[in-house]
Amino acid sequence: MSDITVLGGGRVGGGLATALTRAGHEVTVVTRAPGTAADAVRTARIVINATPGAGSLERLAALRTELRGKILVDVSNATVDGPDGLPAGLLYPGSSLAEQLQEALPETHVVKTLNTMLHSVMTEPSSLAQPPTAFLSGADPEAKRVVRGLLVDLGWRQEWITDLGGIETARAAEGAILFVPHVIRSSGFAPFAISIAR
């Protein structure tokens, strides 16, 4: 079991923290205080970024020293929101939040995952009628192996997890957020996820 710090205490961060605690991990949730975040990150093996994507880069770059050598699991989407509050575009077109984080934190192992679904599916993937897909993007194979294990602890079957490759592949997964406003307007906030059918 791992010591995990979750940055962000909203629906995403809170849900992940509850599920990972239930799976036997030692989990600390940090909301706003930067001093508290530094202390919690320093003692963790794994840090999960569940903060709003638009401010994630600045917030995490400030923790560069504390994040050195850690696995950073990025589940956020950095978007430009439309007038209805739903995503209208990407904050880093031609790149991704995960790539920006990896560049800013060269001594941290960034892994992108769980950003292609409604938050409830992250911890209850079997609740959908069809198997969803969780994607992994990251440069470090060992970090991705560890994150794959966390996904299994959250209820993801191995065959539902697809390793896309290096951190640059996160831009494809993050681009999936552009589906979300249209899906929500069409079907409401019912749980959904991107799935690769084979």
Side-chain angles (χ1 to χ4, degrees):
M1 297 298 106
S2 297
D3 289 328
I4 300 171
T5 290
V6 178
L7 300 178
R11 289 175 297 183
V12 173
L16 288 170
T18 298
L20 290 168
T21 299
R22 193 181 303 125
H25 297 279
E26 293 289 330
V27 181
T28 301
V29 179
V30 176
T31 51
R32 291 284 180 187
T36 306
D39 291 341
V41 167
R42 194 178 293 114
T43 59
R45 179 189 179 204
I46 299 166
V47 177
I48 297 175
N49 175 39
T51 64
S56 288
L57 183 58
E58 181 180 4
R59 189 174 289 116
L60 291 166
L63 297 168
R64 178 172 175 164
T65 299
E66 291 80 7
L67 283 165
R68 184 178 294 128
K70 312 288 185 184
I71 296 172
L72 176 62
V73 184
D74 178 34
V75 302
S76 294
N77 286 301
T79 60
V80 177
D81 291 340
D84 58 1
L86 294 174
L90 300 174
L91 192 59
Y92 304 108
S95 182
S96 64
L97 173 59
E99 289 172 274
Q100 297 295 313
L101 289 170
Q102 188 62 86
E103 185 176 344
L105 304 165
E107 296 175 282
T108 302
H109 308 297
V110 179
V111 179
K112 187 80 182 189
T113 193
L114 292 180
N115 67 302
T116 56
M117 61 202 68
L118 203 65
H119 64 90
S120 61
V121 180
M122 294 178 177
T123 56
E124 293 186 71
S126 61
S127 64
L128 299 182
Q130 291 88 30
T133 302
F135 300 104
L136 295 172
S137 297
D140 188 85
E142 174 60 17
K144 287 193 284 188
R145 186 193 66 77
V146 171
V147 175
R148 183 182 286 268
L150 290 183
L151 294 180
V152 170
D153 287 346
L154 290 172
W156 289 84
R157 297 184 185 176
Q158 290 284 0
E159 62 268 25
W160 297 351
I161 304 170
T162 297
D163 186 342
L164 295 178
I167 197 65
E168 69 280 358
T169 66
R171 68 183 66 176
E174 289 189 25
I177 191 67
L178 299 179
F179 279 102
V180 170
H182 308 299
V183 172
I184 289 174
R185 291 186 192 108
S186 171
S187 309
F189 278 93
F192 68 90
I194 301 295
S195 179
I196 301 298
R198 290 186 174 90

